[in-house]
Amino acid sequence: MEEKEDPKCSYAQALDNSPKDEFQELLQTLEQVSWDGVPLVKYCGCWFPVWMFRQILAAQKHYKAKDTDIILSTLPKSGTTWMKALMFSIANRHVFPIDQSPLLTSTPHKLVPPLEFDTFWEQDNNPDLEAIPSPRIFGTHMHFKTLPECIRERNCKIIYICRNPLDQFVSQIHFSSQNRSGRDADPVAIDEAFNMYCQGISPYGPFWDDILGYWNAHLENPGKVLFLKYEDLKEDITSQVKKIAEFMGFPFSLEEEEQGLIDQISGLCSFESLSNLAPNKTGDNNRTVKSSSFFRKGQVGDWTNYLTPAMAERIKNLMDSKFEGSGLMFKT
Ligand code: A3P
């Protein structure tokens, strides 16, 4: 069952009602834990990394959604990079031919910036986003109930992608170990991180709240929220790309299909292609995160190499109880 919504869940409201250094004051009242050396803060039932909490509040307060905006929402390590590349390519296919795609010279995260960092840095927490051509596409890891209210209220669309939690957990641990700069703590043991994960503690956890929030929003309004699974994209990318394009409002014409455009876009955005492009092989993405760390194996079921049968059983039981009656199933 989803937690009952806290009336203070509107960051804008929380900030407006606070005195001067509202951010620090608010932070001090909230529960915090360390996850693999990363401080997390619990707000509205969700564990946000403290380093981006200020930007999250700024995005919540200042972001003005347009009806033409498209928001990509994900739990980290669920296919964000892949979806950013696909969505950018679908929306801009009439602007850039495939062989001149900006993906050849830039990372998917630069082309589709995250709403809660890069876009709303604290020193520039009310940037002018008006000049960005439509459709503006932003990524976010915020749970549905913590999205800026205007995203839920306006007619802009949301695409959510999730991944079976076993693989998502394993991917998160590897990603964290790849990006340890600025962290003093020893790397977390997998058992400890796993226990925390099962208690809902991980960046943007609990995973079940995030998934259920978007699942219910999708059931309520499928025209507003498209719900995708990483495993389905792996299984049949062509039909998923068609579905994504239709939902975004940029369906492929018969002529484009016959020209093989869907295959060309899927090919450009495939793991093999993206991970071998120069901008994704070197450099940092968001100041401290290595661009290459967004690409590891890109497989379904890699968890079997890291989790014991007992650990897998525990997560499966957790999924059964949390997702009971929702109709949600995952291929593991
Ligand atoms: P693994 O660690 O299991 O390999 P995110 O983009 O949300 O941070 O997720 C990263 C995960 O997606 C990593 O999973 C990464 O390898 C995988 N990934 C990145 N690009 C991909 C692509 N084009 N196709 C499939 N998987 C991809």
Side-chain angles (χ1 to χ4, degrees):
M1 286 297 288
E2 241 193 312
E3 276 180 41
K4 223 177 156 208
E5 195 154 337
D6 178 346
K8 285 187 311 216
C9 273
S10 159
Y11 300 131
Q13 193 188 348
L15 281 180
D16 285 344
N17 292 343
S18 313
K20 271 205 157 171
D21 194 355
E22 62 264 297
F23 170 73
Q24 285 304 336
E25 296 220 347
L26 185 58
L27 197 57
Q28 275 164 24
T29 65
L30 302 171
E31 189 183 347
Q32 294 188 37
V33 292
S34 175
W35 181 90
D36 196 13
V38 179
L40 302 181
V41 55
K42 193 175 192 187
Y43 194 73
C44 296
C46 171
W47 289 102
F48 294 109
V50 170
W51 72 267
M52 54 177 88
F53 191 43
R54 194 189 282 271
Q55 292 88 286
I56 287 170
L57 300 182
Q60 177 74 40
K61 187 171 181 181
H62 297 296
Y63 176 61
K64 289 180 187 61
K66 292 183 181 177
D67 286 346
T68 48
D69 288 352
I70 306 175
I71 306 296
L72 169 68
S73 201
T74 61
L75 260 190
K77 309 300 119 204
S78 298
T80 319
T81 316
W82 193 6
M83 279 299 297
K84 284 184 174 184
L86 286 169
M87 288 168 68
F88 180 86
S89 302
I90 290 168
N92 291 286
R93 64 184 189 268
H94 301 304
V95 186
F96 306 106
I98 296 287
D99 60 357
Q100 288 165 36
S101 169
L103 283 167
L104 304 173
T105 49
S106 193
T107 75
H109 297 280
K110 295 214 168 92
L111 296 172
V112 177
L115 200 56
E116 60 263 45
F117 46 98
D118 275 2
T119 307
F120 285 94
W121 281 112
E122 59 190 87
Q123 63 271 31
D124 180 23
N125 65 7
N126 192 9
D128 183 5
L129 306 177
E130 288 301 309
I132 301 176
S134 291
R136 303 185 304 182
I137 309 176
F138 295 106
T140 183
H141 294 317
M142 288 188 233
H143 290 200
F144 184 74
K145 68 179 174 188
T146 61
L147 286 173
E149 255 167 49
C150 56
I151 294 181
R152 288 175 288 170
E153 280 164 7
R154 305 272 324 216
N155 285 330
C156 54
K157 294 189 174 182
I158 300 171
I159 300 185
Y160 179 71
I161 186 165
C162 58
R163 186 178 192 185
N164 84 71
L166 297 144
D167 281 332
Q168 192 257 338
F169 168 75
V170 166
S171 182
Q172 179 90 68
I173 289 293
H174 281 96
F175 183 78
S176 186
S177 74
Q178 286 277 304
N179 295 293
R180 298 201 60 78
S181 74
R183 279 187 261 170
D184 297 335
D186 288 338
V188 68
I190 191 161
D191 288 8
E192 191 192 331
F194 184 79
N195 274 328
M196 293 175 92
Y197 190 71
C198 292
Q199 291 163 36
I201 306 171
S202 62
Y204 292 93
F207 71 82
W208 55 85
D209 271 0
D210 190 56
I211 295 172
L212 277 174
Y214 283 98
W215 176 246
N216 290 332
H218 158 74
L219 293 180
E220 219 167 89
N221 191 351
K224 176 157 183 89
V225 182
L226 179 67
F227 190 96
L228 302 172
K229 293 182 191 146
Y230 181 95
E231 294 74 23
D232 292 341
L233 265 71
K234 289 293 291 187
E235 199 173 285
D236 182 358
I237 188 68
T238 306
S239 74
Q240 297 292 311
V241 166
K242 273 172 85 165
K243 191 185 197 179
I244 295 164
E246 273 161 30
F247 181 83
M248 289 175 73
F250 302 102
F252 288 96
S253 66
L254 205 57
E255 201 186 351
E256 285 180 317
E257 283 196 38
E258 282 166 6
Q259 283 167 357
L261 204 55
I262 299 180
D263 288 347
Q264 288 172 33
I265 288 178
S266 311
L268 175 67
C269 301
S270 69
F271 180 87
E272 292 68 28
S273 155
L274 282 187
S275 60
N276 282 305
L277 292 176
N280 299 322
K281 285 173 91 165
T282 52
D284 290 345
N285 206 59
N286 297 307
R287 300 182 182 192
T288 54
V289 174
K290 291 181 203 150
S291 298
S292 60
S293 65
F294 288 96
F295 304 91
R296 192 179 61 97
K297 288 189 181 172
Q299 293 169 1
V300 177
D302 185 46
W303 62 267
T304 52
N305 296 314
Y306 299 92
L307 304 183
T308 63
M311 288 163 121
E313 193 59 23
R314 187 169 163 197
I315 291 228
K316 286 178 182 169
N317 288 339
L318 192 59
M319 284 160 63
D320 285 348
S321 77
K322 297 289 181 190
F323 298 150
E324 189 186 359
S326 69
L328 260 174
M329 307 257 283
F330 284 94
K331 292 177 192 135
T332 53

